[in-house]
Amino acid sequence: MKKLFISAMLSLITWQVSNAQSIVNIIPKPQEITYGEGLFQLDKQTTISFKNCSVKDVDLFIRQLRQASHYPMLEKKQSSNTIEFILDKKLDLPSDEGYQLHVSAKKITVKAKTAHGLFNASQSLRQLLPLAIETNTSTVPESTWSIPAVAIKDYPRYHWRGYMKDVSRTFYDVNTVKKYLDAMALYKMNIFHWHLTDDQGWRIEIKKYPKLTAENATVFHRTEKQPAERSGFYTQEQIKELVQYAKERNITIVPEIDVPGHSWPTILAYPALGVNKNSYPNHIFPFVSSWGYWGNQFTPNTLDPTKETTYQFLDNVFTEIAGLFPGSYIHFGGDEVRHDLWEKEPHVQEFMKQHQIADVKALQSYFVQRVSAIIVQKGKKPIGWNDILADAKNLPKSTAIMSWLGEEAIKEATKDGFKAVATPASHLYFDITQTDRNDGTMTDLAYPQINSLKRVYDFDPSNGLTAMEDQLVLGVQGNMWSAIAQDIKDMNVQNFPRLLAVAEIGWASKSKKDYAEFCRRLDANLPRLDSMRIDYYHTGGYIAGSWKSEDIKEEYSTLTFDVTKKIYDNGRAQAGFFFLEGKNFLEIDAVQLLQDGRIIDEDGHHALADKFRGTNKIKPFYYNFTVRDYNPNAKYEIKARVRGAGGIDSRGNFTFNLSPTLPFNRTEKR
């Protein structure tokens, strides 16, 4: 009997712990968790109190909780049924962003050394609460507003836990940026790297240089037939609004002005700054059109590194940038500079001779030194892509490096004494395919690898570094280039859930990471993304059907696919035909979208579904439609006029995706 009793008690304890663990699904994974018994139950009498701090330190969380629960959450100190926030500067934590959280059936106590720590604790509480906290429209039974008893001691591994959004290749409005700041805050990411300028557009108002935001530098040319919302720029008032919005979420914005390459809009606006006179075409255009104009993706002109007017221009620009962004760092790019353009210019060669500059790499270093000095003079720290390490011996150590050219780039920066942010394309570029190049998702297909969720999660910034080198790693960052994935839904699908893996890399201890266990917590967080109306990648991507040999003929016939489940709102829709295997490609003559048997849109271009998956041309195997009067009770079909090219030995995927007109309004259900 005694053995049976002990066995029963052990089973009960095991059940309690496992049950608690199944409830606590915080991302990123806390450093230390101790599981208790019972639940803290919120009700109309629950209060909040503050010691050495105030409600403004966790105002976002409290407002969100009040709106969702409809409880008053009055500010009142009491011994039980309360959430107490305590600021204790002597708290034993290795990071100012750390916190301690203790939840019992009686009360919740939150302690931190700084307001940032209190904020991070509030986001853990947010994840411990039911999904309804993500909305203020649902009516939730009182019994659901509970938090499991748990004690957490938590702090980040790295200070820099970043995400980069490219708004040059595709512009995204203020509300979209805010949505991303919201998601970053939930998962304790604290750096928003804002890629504001590139060859595809200048996106920030500079009052001294109004031509930078003229139409030809900010709006895609009419011949490109791009939706209007993909063009534009932010006014300085909008910038200030977003900087404040980020600050309220414990996020610092790092602006990037990419020079001296990737400066096409600048040269269009102020041609005298160019190293040559090439300004064709005299407008901006989407990334994939570059090959049609220039024969490659790189501009035929750069800023002139020999002209003092270039540095005066940059000094004036960075003066305004420094005034708008209170963070420590300003990013100046420095990547993918076409040095061959400098080699061809006699005046550049003469300048190098006069200044005893050995080669164009050294000239790039000269440029970087000048720009770094300008940024330092503004009271900021310069940071650039690791291309600027080409002449590392002459690079000022005050310049930080954003290491993107492979894992080894982190080693290359830190071994020479430079601080570095780990953001290798080999693992942390989100425009790269995450599972299958034939699943229809909008990815930059020029990269050789697949950046799967596991590949992202398994990345370790300190891999191969000495202890001293590891001390120079500022942190980690995921990057999203908007060259191919332009619609907001496509961008979301590329970013999520991989961004959550980056959040965990930056926060959790290396020894505590476990991919299988992360996936269990991720499964619990995906409904939270659903509640926030953020689309994310699902197994299979956008695959909605397939064709095989028996489905086609050597003469034209019709392939029909039911896409009713894939259409759930008004918006832009895209069908894709991805040849997989066989002797014969699929020739496509026209594609129609039907609603209850009636044609509602048609794309009549001719294409071949073949093996091409490159970036250097517009992909003709995609067909585009618009859904204007969505009917949830209707049947939707795609009808394609196709034939096997030279035979019927052919197999492939049919893909279909809808990008809603109103982003973050509805998500696709699976």
Side-chain angles (χ1 to χ4, degrees), residues 208-250:
K208 191 172 183 66
Y209 297 108
K211 291 182 181 179
L212 290 172
T213 47
E215 183 174 333
N216 70 330
T218 59
V219 178
F220 290 134
H221 196 263
R222 65 183 183 278
T223 55
E224 298 291 339
K225 296 182 172 58
Q226 289 279 303
E229 68 268 19
R230 294 179 182 174
S231 295
F233 66 91
Y234 306 99
T235 66
Q236 291 200 0
E237 287 306 306
Q238 289 174 318
I239 295 290
K240 292 173 185 176
E241 176 187 349
L242 286 165
V243 166
Q244 180 61 30
Y245 194 87
K247 182 181 178 182
E248 292 168 359
R249 286 152 181 79
N250 192 23

Side-chain angles (χ1 to χ4, degrees), residues 44 65-73 136-140 145:
K44 292 177 181 178
L65 183 55
R66 282 172 174 160
Q67 289 172 359
S69 68
H70 306 295
Y71 295 155
M73 304 293 294
N136 58 7
T137 58
S138 300
T139 302
V140 183
W145 290 104

Side-chain angles (χ1 to χ4, degrees), residues 164-215:
M164 188 214 74
K165 184 171 290 300
D166 167 18
V167 296
S168 174
R169 268 82 185 247
T170 302
F171 178 77
Y172 297 104
D173 66 13
V174 167
N175 290 332
T176 301
V177 175
K178 285 182 176 180
K179 191 73 174 183
Y180 267 77
L181 293 171
D182 289 340
M184 289 175 65
L186 174 59
Y187 297 107
K188 304 185 183 75
M189 302 188 78
N190 64 347
I191 301 290
F192 181 73
H193 173 183
W194 210 357
H195 188 79
L196 288 162
T197 72
D198 209 301
D199 295 325
Q200 284 69 46
W202 184 283
R203 306 300 184 190
I204 180 170
E205 178 188 21
I206 301 296
K207 293 186 182 296
K208 191 172 183 66
Y209 297 108
K211 291 182 181 179
L212 290 172
T213 47
E215 183 174 333

Side-chain angles (χ1 to χ4, degrees), residues 157-158 407 410-411 414 422 459-467 469-471 473 475 505 510:
R157 179 184 180 189
Y158 292 111
E407 284 186 273
I410 304 151
K411 178 80 172 179
T414 55
F459 171 69
D460 176 27
S462 65
N463 187 38
L465 303 185
T466 66
E469 290 166 352
D470 194 23
Q471 291 294 313
V473 177
I505 296 169
K510 179 180 177 180

Side-chain angles (χ1 to χ4, degrees), residues 499-518:
L499 193 60
L500 278 65
V502 173
E504 185 138 324
I505 296 169
W507 186 280
S509 294
K510 179 180 177 180
S511 61
K512 300 231 173 100
K513 284 177 61 186
D514 181 296
Y515 180 67
E517 192 268 340
F518 168 75

